[in-house]
Each structure stands twice: as structure tokens, then as C-alpha cells.
Amino acid sequence: MNKDSQMRAAINQKLIEMGERERLKELLRAKLVECGWKDQMKAQCKDVIREKGLEHVTVEDLVVEITPKGRALVPDSVKKELLQRIRASLAQHSTL
Amino acid sequence: MKMENMSLSGLDNTKLEALAQDIYSDLVEDACLGLCFEVHRAVKQGYFFLDDTDQESMKDFEIVDQPGVDIFGQVYNQWKNKECVCPNCNRSIAASRFAPHLEKCLGMGRNSSRIANRRIASSNNTNNKSESDQEDNDDVNDNDWSYGSEKKAKKRKSDKNPNSPRRSKSLKHKNGELSSSVNTDPYKYNYNTGINYETLGPDELRSLLTTQCGVISEHTKKMCTRTSLPDSNTAVESDGYDASDGQVLMSRLQWDGSSDISPSDSASSKASTNNSDSKKPKKKKKTSLNSTGGGGGGSGSVGGSSSQGCLAGQANRKKPKLPVPPAPSIYDNLN
């Protein structure tokens, strides 16, 4: 198990070095904006803010409330595409 | 490091998939965090709620879904039947036609000047014609517009001046070494060549025909201006032919005297001209022969007994050797 996690870390590191991770992140962001996920999440944020009060809301509040909803609201198509891209990059970088 | 040497190929598919999932969830979490930071900053800076509209305005601009009305609540053809008064001519114009009318009325549109000019031109034509030429009055009245175009067409035709310098330049190119005087002289003769061969004196004819082909094409009435180029290759086939050719031509001219172009001869001369013209791009042995043969044909066209020479010229293409012996033999008597 340790070996695996180590290897994962190593691979992650490699992805970062190749700049692939950055690319993947940008891709995901763009797709989320496109599909309207961002607007949905902003609406959720508004609710949270109104609940907590404008002056006293903290980052932690938002993170705690928003992240699980955000994970759930990602559309399937985006998820599938991103997984595909990740697999492709892994395959590409495994040979290097 | 040991880790760097390990490759993914060591992993099986499930692990690979798990790895991919992990990476994916990391990415999504990054996105969420990014969003939270953004929102929090907007809240603290005070611009988070700025893009919201208040409830009253929301009611005003609500989407309308009634029949006969668009989503803004406006009626589609509200102004269709209304009429506007033109400020220029004070006429009442339908709304949909108002803009084009205004364009023409004020004279500011793209087509308005064109139409106005056309009208002026046609009215001028009718006025002028009716004054000057009474006979054509009917015609003019009948077709205003076409008369104007006819006039333009005629004008254009006359622009194609046969005497234009451009034409003479092309001739100059053909003849290369010739002086300009020689060029212009035959160029003038291009029109009424039948007459001009008669009017040319023997010296002029000699200078003309030694340098150029001289065959007159029947349909264009133009003289062939191909030069009989001295070609070293031709010496192989007929040594004395070229040399004697000029003399032959001159002698034939002197002997014939008359320079009528009979129809058969002119037809043959045309054919021989065509021969020489077609042979021009190919610079081979036969070209000079053909040109001289054509020249022989051309000079043959001048006289009545030239048919044999013409045939010789035509046959030159295929069997250059055959006509060569007879030609000198015919004129040996003359010389």
C-alpha cells in the first residue's frame, strides 16, 4: 500500500512537472463555467451568505457548505470527459 | 530515486482507474475552493450582490408570454399601417417605404445619383436627337434607353482604333530587326492591301518582300509580316534555295507585273499564310522553308500563274525536298 501511495505521489508530481495538471485544471474550470455549474454554485453561496449574515461569513463557512454540493452538482458529461483526459495523460506519461 | 524508475505499466487497470479518480476529485476540489475564495472576496469587497436587480424592476421586465405580443410586450406590426410625412416633398408615405423614399428624395442614397444621371442622359438624348435628326425621331422616341446604350456601344467600338499604336507595336515585335519605317509602311498597307500591292513600285515591293512574307490573308486583309529567318539548318536541305529565293520572288514579280488577287490565289495564299503562321513557334528546319514557301505562295498570289508555287508552298510542310528542284527550274528560264 505504501508503495502505491508513494507511486501516486510520484505520478502526481510528474503531472505537475509536465504542466499537465495545470492544463487539466483549466479545462475543468472552463467546462464548469460552460455548463452553468458556476452560476448554480454562486446561487448556493448567496443562500449561505444570507443565512450567515453578510458581515460575518468566513471562508471556512463557505467551504464547508459548498464543497460537497459542488462535487455532487458536476454534470456527468464533464466528469466523463475529464476522466478520459486524465487517463490519456497517464498513458502518455507512463512511457516517458 | 527509485520512484522515478517505476512506470505506470506496472499498475493494473483497476489501480489505474482509481488513480484517475483520485486525480479527478482533487481537481474538482480545487475548483470548489477556488470558487469559495472568489465569492468570499467578493462579499468582503462588497461587489457580490451588485449584479442583482431589485424586485420592482424584476416585475417590470418580466418575460411576457401572451399571443400577438413579443416577450417584451411589444406588438409586431404596430407601425405597419402608419404613414409618415416626408419633410422634403411633403407627401404622405407608408412607413415601410419611408426610408427608401427619403433616400431618393434627398438624393443621398447609393442609387439615387445613378438613377438621376441616367434620367438626365436619356432626356438629353431625346432632346438632342429630335432637334438634329428628324428622321430618327421615331426610333429615338420608341427606345429611349436602348438608344443611349447603342450610342455607348458605338463609342466603344470606335475606341478600338485599328491605327492604334498598340497594334503597330505587336508587329514590330514580330519583325525584330526591321527598321520602324519598314514596319509602319506595311502596317499601313494592311487595310487595302489589294490595292496597295498594285501601287507599290518594284523597289518598294522588293524591299518589302525580301524582309517579310507579304502574304495577304483574305479574311483579315492583312499582310503576313513574318520574316524569313536565315536558318543554318536549312542549308542541309536546299543550299541554294534561300539565296535564290529573294531573286526568284523579285523576278516573278517583274515577270507577272499585275498584282490582282484572284479568289483561288487568295484562298491559297490564306492557306499558305496559315501554314507559315502555324509553323512559327517551332523553330526547326522547316520553318524558314515554309516561310519562303509561303512567300512564294504570297508572291504567287500576286500573279495569276502562281498556283503551282502555292501548292509547292503547301507541300513544303511534308515533303520539303520535292518542290525544291522544280522551283529553280521554273525560274531558270527567267533568270
Side-chain angles (χ1 to χ4, degrees):
Chain A
M1 282 300 286
N2 214 5
K3 237 186 191 178
D4 283 340
S5 58
Q6 273 179 332
M7 202 168 70
R8 273 184 194 164
I11 290 162
N12 238 343
Q13 179 73 16
K14 213 186 212 177
L15 275 181
I16 293 170
E17 276 167 19
M18 306 297 297
E20 196 59 34
R21 194 160 192 272
E22 206 50 50
R23 274 195 282 269
L24 288 166
K25 198 150 66 156
E26 284 309 311
L27 178 69
L28 177 64
R29 289 241 166 95
K31 287 219 170 290
L32 288 175
V33 169
E34 245 177 50
C35 67
W37 174 91
K38 196 173 182 185
D39 297 326
Q40 268 180 302
M41 296 313 295
K42 264 195 176 171
Q44 295 280 333
C45 291
K46 273 184 198 167
D47 292 338
V48 171
I49 290 163
R50 282 193 193 112
E51 196 185 325
K52 303 278 178 176
L54 194 63
E55 299 293 323
H56 306 293
V57 69
T58 62
V59 182
E60 279 306 315
D61 293 335
L62 284 170
V63 167
V64 163
E65 299 282 333
I66 294 302
T67 309
K69 286 183 195 166
R71 268 206 225 105
L73 281 174
V74 174
D76 275 338
S77 56
V78 174
K79 184 174 179 181
K80 276 182 188 158
E81 182 159 351
L82 214 64
L83 279 172
Q84 207 174 358
R85 281 292 295 260
I86 292 167
R87 274 185 231 121
S89 333
L90 286 176
Q92 197 181 7
H93 292 119
S94 66
T95 56
L96 293 170
Chain B
M1 260 175 55
K2 212 185 191 180
M3 293 305 131
E4 285 172 6
N5 294 334
M6 286 169 85
S7 68
L8 280 169
S9 54
L11 290 173
D12 59 0
N13 268 350
T14 49
K15 284 189 182 167
L16 209 61
E17 191 59 34
L19 182 59
Q21 290 282 349
D22 278 346
I23 294 173
Y24 166 75
S25 51
D26 277 344
L27 286 173
V28 169
E29 191 150 337
D30 272 352
C32 293
L33 269 178
L35 180 73
C36 290
F37 284 131
E38 210 179 295
V39 166
H40 183 258
R41 185 168 192 270
V43 165
K44 291 303 173 188
Q45 302 262 309
Y47 63 81
F48 186 63
F49 286 111
L50 277 180
D51 51 359
D52 284 345
T53 38
D54 59 333
Q55 280 299 313
E56 273 184 32
S57 313
M58 292 285 276
K59 278 182 191 161
D60 282 344
F61 300 120
E62 224 176 322
I63 290 174
V64 176
D65 196 13
Q66 297 165 20
V69 158
D70 64 8
I71 63 169
F72 298 116
Q74 294 168 1
V75 187
Y76 163 61
N77 49 2
Q78 193 179 5
W79 314 108
K80 218 195 214 176
N81 303 325
K82 291 210 170 173
E83 291 195 343
C84 329
V85 177
C86 173
N88 213 27
C89 57
N90 290 323
R91 287 203 325 214
S92 179
I93 312 287
S96 52
R97 297 301 309 160
F98 186 59
H101 163 80
L102 208 57
E103 210 181 11
K104 301 262 165 34
C105 198
L106 292 171
M108 286 198 317
R110 248 206 285 172
N111 287 329
S112 55
S113 59
R114 227 183 281 159
I115 293 170
N117 285 340
R118 208 198 287 168
R119 269 197 225 136
I120 288 168
S122 59
S123 67
N124 268 348
N125 285 341
T126 50
N127 288 342
N128 289 347
K129 229 13 192 166
S130 59
E131 287 166 6
S132 61
D133 206 347
Q134 288 301 319
E135 304 164 350
D136 291 347
N137 219 354
D138 288 337
D139 289 343
V140 162
N141 287 337
D142 283 345
N143 31 8
D144 263 351
W145 190 83
S146 59
Y147 180 71
S149 66
E150 250 179 75
K151 198 180 177 189
K152 279 178 194 171
K154 278 184 190 169
K155 204 181 175 188
R156 262 182 249 130
K157 249 191 176 178
S158 63
D159 279 345
K160 249 189 174 180
N161 196 358
N163 277 331
S164 64
R166 231 177 165 201
R167 291 204 176 189
S168 63
K169 267 185 194 167
S170 63
L171 280 173
K172 277 182 189 172
H173 269 290
K174 267 187 186 175
N175 297 330
E177 301 160 358
L178 294 177
S179 64
S180 57
S181 60
V182 180
N183 269 340
T184 51
D185 285 345
Y187 180 63
K188 281 180 205 162
Y189 302 143
N190 272 350
Y191 298 156
N192 308 318
T193 38
I195 306 168
N196 285 326
Y197 266 143
E198 288 171 359
T199 56
L200 276 177
D203 288 333
E204 293 176 39
L205 262 180
R206 186 183 302 156
S207 63
L208 174 66
L209 289 171
T210 42
T211 48
Q212 294 172 59
C213 169
V215 176
I216 295 156
S217 163
E218 192 190 46
H219 45 198
T220 62
K221 297 279 185 276
K222 267 192 268 179
M223 196 186 69
C224 171
T225 52
R226 277 192 64 223
T227 54
S228 52
L229 300 166
D231 211 356
S232 58
N233 290 339
T234 57
V236 175
E237 290 195 349
S238 57
D239 287 334
Y241 194 65
D242 283 342
S244 64
D245 190 57
Q247 294 176 6
V248 161
L249 288 173
M250 292 306 111
S251 55
R252 282 182 76 185
L253 279 171
Q254 289 158 3
W255 179 60
D256 288 332
S258 67
S259 54
D260 293 329
I261 304 175
S262 59
S264 59
D265 289 334
S266 60
S268 58
S269 74
K270 179 176 78 173
S272 53
T273 317
N274 290 340
N275 279 348
S276 48
D277 280 343
S278 62
K279 282 292 177 183
K280 202 190 178 187
K282 303 179 199 170
K283 291 186 180 174
K284 287 179 188 172
K285 290 180 191 176
K286 298 184 181 176
T287 48
S288 65
L289 272 179
N290 271 333
S291 65
T292 51
S299 63
S301 73
V302 175
S305 61
S306 59
S307 50
Q308 286 183 8
C310 290
L311 285 172
Q314 284 176 357
N316 257 343
R317 233 209 244 147
K318 289 169 191 172
K319 298 176 186 176
K321 286 187 182 175
L322 274 179
V324 170
S329 68
I330 292 171
Y331 305 116
D332 277 343
N333 301 333
L334 297 170
N335 289 335

